[in-house]
Amino acid sequence: MEHANKYPHARLIRLGVGDTTQPIPQVISSAMAELVENAMQAMRKAIAETFYKNMDITSNEIFVSDGAQCDISRVQMLFGSNVSVAVQDPSFPAYVDSSVIIGQAGNYDEKKCKYKKIVYMSCGSSDNNFFPDLSKVPRTDVIFFCSPNNPTGHAASKAELERLVDFARHNGSIIVYDSAYASYISDHSCPKSIFEVPGAKEVAIEVSSFSKLAGFTGVRLGWTVVPKELSYSNGFPVIHDYNRIVCTCFNGASNIAQAGGLACLSPQGYKALRSTISYYMDNAKILVDTFTSLRLNVYGGKNAPYLWVHFPGSKSWDIFNEILDKTHILTVPGRGFGYGGEEFIRVSAFASREAIFEASARLKKHFHDIGYRYLLRR
Ligand SMILES: *Cc1c(COP(=O)(O)O)cnc(C)c1O
């Protein structure tokens, strides 16, 4: 500015900025724009048609993204620090962690191993059939809910989700429903989307992902559904804010990922990924049979690629270490998913069939060798 005032007739040459200056040749940019525009529209439409058939979700209520975990953080930006949240205990760590980062969680209570301002909905054991007793859950502004649940592998039934939706409607809460494992559900009584439940559109956002659906954990592709019926207590539609956040903080999923996503939802693509899902679920069955034959209490593995194995009276880290040391099998201690995961380990069916057979053989040998020690503690 100063320079321009001083030398009004000089033609300044800018060699200071570290960015390219020439436009992308039109033949390329128009091809890209067309592809992105078409891919984006096609993607949203394909998602609506594949996963939300008969639920009356339109493509403009679907936001294609770089993954569900990223969407969880963007949804948190929508809410800000001044809201109360509830999470399942145990659950995928992203809900609690994003809540801590944005400032909703309050201080950590060392004794209880919980954040003071987060409501933990206990659902880690067969005592309440892996679904929280909502009569004991206080009202919160936001409820994070994942089904099929990671880590327990439990898929909520239609009746359970109806109770959850009623609970949210009664309390004026928003449910953030994570359906990352919906494609693993085999039980027909378990909804694959929260929007199968009547009335859910006024209270729920759904985040989902191609990561487990199609092995896209590294490609990065997911989506979030924000129904136009969902509004804040002052009547303002949430979809407008979410659109603003997505456009401000994130410029959409890469078109390479979206091209892959479109291929996933083509008839051949979808068939191929269903076959991979069956492969994993056959793995899960082998593992379930293995733990059952060892007379251990095993849950999950029917509607999700995770098994949740109970060792009553034991600490999950001890079991984890014992299995790692004695069988060289890596599992996850349930405690890593919250206080409610103590006494459990999570076993994943994401592996080759050879690895599953080998793991099965080692587990059988180990638990035979120790003479079913864990059974005696019950
Ligand atoms: C793996 C997983 C995701 C996937 O997140 P992406 O960011 O899409 O990879 C989301 N939610 C849960 C519960 C998961 O286990």
Side-chain angles (χ1 to χ4, degrees), residues 67-70 92 95 146 150 178 180-181 209 211-212 220-221:
Q69 184 150 4
C70 319
F92 185 54
Y95 321 125
C146 178
N150 176 10
D178 186 336
Y181 297 95
S209 171
S211 286
K212 316 311 184 324
R220 311 303 308 145
L221 193 66

Side-chain angles (χ1 to χ4, degrees), residues 18-50:
D19 195 1
T20 58
T21 54
Q22 303 312 104
I24 294 172
Q26 211 231 320
V27 53
I28 299 172
S29 63
S30 61
M32 284 162 78
E34 203 175 307
L35 188 87
V36 170
E37 186 55 31
N38 292 346
M40 263 303 226
Q41 281 312 320
M43 223 10 232
R44 297 173 99 178
K45 195 158 167 272
I47 289 172
E49 284 169 2
T50 310

Side-chain angles (χ1 to χ4, degrees), residues 308 316-318 320 331-338 341-342 344-346:
W308 190 237
S316 68
W317 274 102
D318 293 343
F320 165 83
T331 60
V332 183
R335 189 67 186 73
F337 299 94
E342 196 66 284
F344 288 85
I345 56 162
R346 189 194 79 175

